[in-house]
Amino acid sequence: MASKAAAQAAKQLRVGIIGAGGNTKLHHIPKLQAIPGVDVVKIANRSEESAAKVCKELGVKEASGDWQDVIQDSSLDAVVIGVWPYLHRTLVLEALQAGKHVLTEARLAMNASEAREMYQASLRHAHLVTQVVPSPLTYDYDATIQDIIKQGTLGELLYIEVRAISNSFAEADGAPLTWRTDQRYSGLNIGVLGIFYEPLQRWVGDATAVQARAKTVVRLREDQQTGDLRTVHIPDHIDILAEMAIGAQAHIVVSSVIGAVPGFSKGYVLYGREGTLFVDLAAKKLQLGLKSEGGQLKDVTVAEGKIETWKVEEEFVAAIRGEGSIRRTTFEQGVRYMEFTEAVTRSIQSGCTVKLPLLT
């Protein structure tokens, strides 16, 4: 083990960071620094002052207020992109062109077209590793749920219910505008829709059609930079009916404006001919009710070896070193969830069912 660590250290991997937000400071920087032979050497943030502050906190050498300083630094092998979606396409394309491996925050892009362009660029630079930060919501349960489905325990899947409800009442008009509520920065991403759809993709695959209805309750928000009120174009409540490739119908609710929710507010229910699987993320429990046992929900014990932990940075580095491959999340997977998100928006705008995958 010691000799392996020494060999890794000899092959130093130099990483630059663009955007030092919460996830970057909590996960990416310290967890990259913990890997033998990896050196986080430069951070570019909105200002050199804010970058310098993070550098001091986390022991990084160089600070910059210009992302080009990271992209154009020929001494760097890889780039971590921690900014909002509005810059993902530009930074990914520039980084790949500069010969750098790329780990980018989710959501992958502003829309499906950008996502496809980024994926195609990754194929043209196939010698470089590209990865999207995955949804970690269901790490504790993913392997167990996949086993239950593969073993046929639920039988034919008939219906899936997904709830992503903040369980808080609507803010008043004039509440602060955030990047998630500002289409200039988030594009066609709607709240936490992508974060909740991605685990569903892991378990049962993609949707083949969606029909959506939406409501914008908080119509005006205050731009914190200018003090101006801005019209909000991203809905804060959506209902989606989706046809899944596996044959089940899914009902997905994403809402940040309803409170005192009875039952569960965050999680999934998978209904099959032979059983029902309940994933309550708020209560942190996994339950299974079998037809053969009267349908009573019982707790599922998740084996310790089935519980996955956050290993995004380890997977990224291992892939660069040729010691593994990207499993979560590839750019190709990112394109698929961006197409789903865009299909939801198209359905909201048209009032029609939208088929997947999108043709254009």
Side-chain angles (χ1 to χ4, degrees):
M1 185 65 69
S3 61
K4 183 178 181 181
Q8 290 175 337
K11 186 182 177 182
Q12 197 77 3
L13 184 69
R14 293 169 59 84
V15 182
I17 308 290
I18 301 176
N23 222 29
T24 306
K25 290 187 288 186
L26 177 65
H27 288 293
H28 305 325
I29 296 175
K31 289 176 180 177
L32 284 168
Q33 291 172 323
I35 300 173
V38 176
D39 191 8
V40 179
V41 297
K42 183 178 290 188
I43 296 174
N45 216 17
R46 285 190 173 186
S47 68
E48 188 171 348
E49 291 75 19
S50 64
K53 181 180 178 182
V54 178
C55 284
K56 184 176 180 180
E57 289 174 3
L58 298 176
V60 179
K61 301 170 187 175
E62 300 178 48
S64 174
D66 185 352
W67 58 263
Q68 287 281 3
D69 289 342
V70 173
I71 298 291
Q72 300 305 326
D73 188 335
S74 59
S75 73
L76 297 179
D77 304 295
V79 174
V80 174
I81 297 170
V83 300
W84 300 329
Y86 77 113
L87 273 178
H88 287 185
R89 171 193 169 276
T90 297
L91 297 181
V92 166
L93 296 183
E94 292 271 357
L96 292 175
Q97 188 63 35
K100 292 175 172 54
H101 306 284
V102 179
L103 169 63
T104 182
E105 274 294 347
R107 301 287 94 198
L108 177 57
M110 295 276 276
N111 52 49
S113 176
E114 285 191 358
R116 285 191 290 265
E117 186 178 2
M118 294 158 70
Y119 173 53
Q120 291 301 320
S122 74
L123 295 180
R124 291 194 299 273
H125 298 84
H127 62 293
L128 297 173
V129 172
T130 52
Q131 181 180 12
V132 194
V133 174
S135 169
L137 289 178
T138 56
Y139 273 179
D140 287 352
Y141 312 115
D142 280 336
T144 300
I145 291 170
Q146 287 168 330
D147 285 346
I148 289 171
I149 293 172
K150 288 175 183 176
Q151 290 163 6
T153 305
L154 302 180
E156 179 190 0
L157 277 179
L158 306 174
Y159 177 66
I160 299 168
E161 185 177 2
V162 182
R163 291 192 190 181
I165 302 171
S166 66
N167 205 1
S168 57
F169 292 99
E171 298 176 286
D173 279 341
L177 186 69
T178 67
W179 74 268
R180 286 196 185 276
T181 55
D182 192 337
Q183 204 166 58
R184 296 173 301 172
Y185 298 119
S186 62
L188 299 186
N189 297 292
I190 303 174
V192 295
L193 174 59
I195 301 169
F196 274 78
Y197 179 66
E198 191 178 335
L200 201 59
Q201 286 181 299
R202 297 174 195 159
W203 308 336
V204 300
D206 296 303
T208 58
V210 299
Q211 186 169 32
R213 294 293 182 271
K215 186 174 183 63
T216 303
V217 177
V218 185
R219 301 177 182 88
L220 294 172
R221 288 183 176 271
E222 182 181 354
D223 189 320
Q224 299 298 286
Q225 294 182 335
T226 66
D228 296 336
L229 287 178
R230 287 188 172 273
T231 302
V232 177
H233 298 287
I234 297 177
D236 38 33
H237 182 98
I238 52 174
D239 280 274
I240 303 163
L241 286 178
E243 294 294 334
M244 307 301 294
I246 201 170
Q249 179 174 295
H251 179 207
I252 303 170
V253 180
V254 179
S255 182
S256 61
V257 293
I258 53 178
V261 179
F264 75 105
S265 59
K266 295 181 179 68
Y268 306 79
V269 190
L270 283 68
Y271 298 92
R273 283 186 180 270
E274 305 301 326
T276 294
L277 187 62
F278 177 35
V279 189
D280 189 336
L281 296 179
K284 296 183 179 180
K285 63 183 179 183
L286 179 65
Q287 295 183 316
L288 178 64
L290 296 176
K291 178 181 177 181
S292 61
E293 299 177 359
Q296 182 180 355
L297 287 172
K298 298 178 182 179
D299 290 343
V300 175
T301 300
V302 179
E304 187 174 341
K306 293 287 186 179
I307 297 175
E308 298 193 43
T309 58
W310 181 283
K311 293 184 178 179
V312 177
E313 298 77 18
E314 292 178 40
E315 189 172 299
F316 182 57
V317 171
I320 292 172
R321 289 173 169 166
E323 299 169 353
S325 59
I326 299 302
R327 189 166 64 95
R328 293 183 181 163
T329 293
T330 67
F331 272 29
E332 187 272 335
Q333 291 166 331
V335 168
R336 298 200 330 262
Y337 72 58
M338 285 305 310
E339 288 207 343
F340 175 81
T341 300
E342 181 158 328
V344 169
T345 296
R346 291 188 187 186
S347 180
I348 291 169
Q349 292 173 343
S350 68
C352 300
T353 297
V354 177
K355 300 290 187 179
L356 286 160
L358 298 179
L359 297 178
T360 58

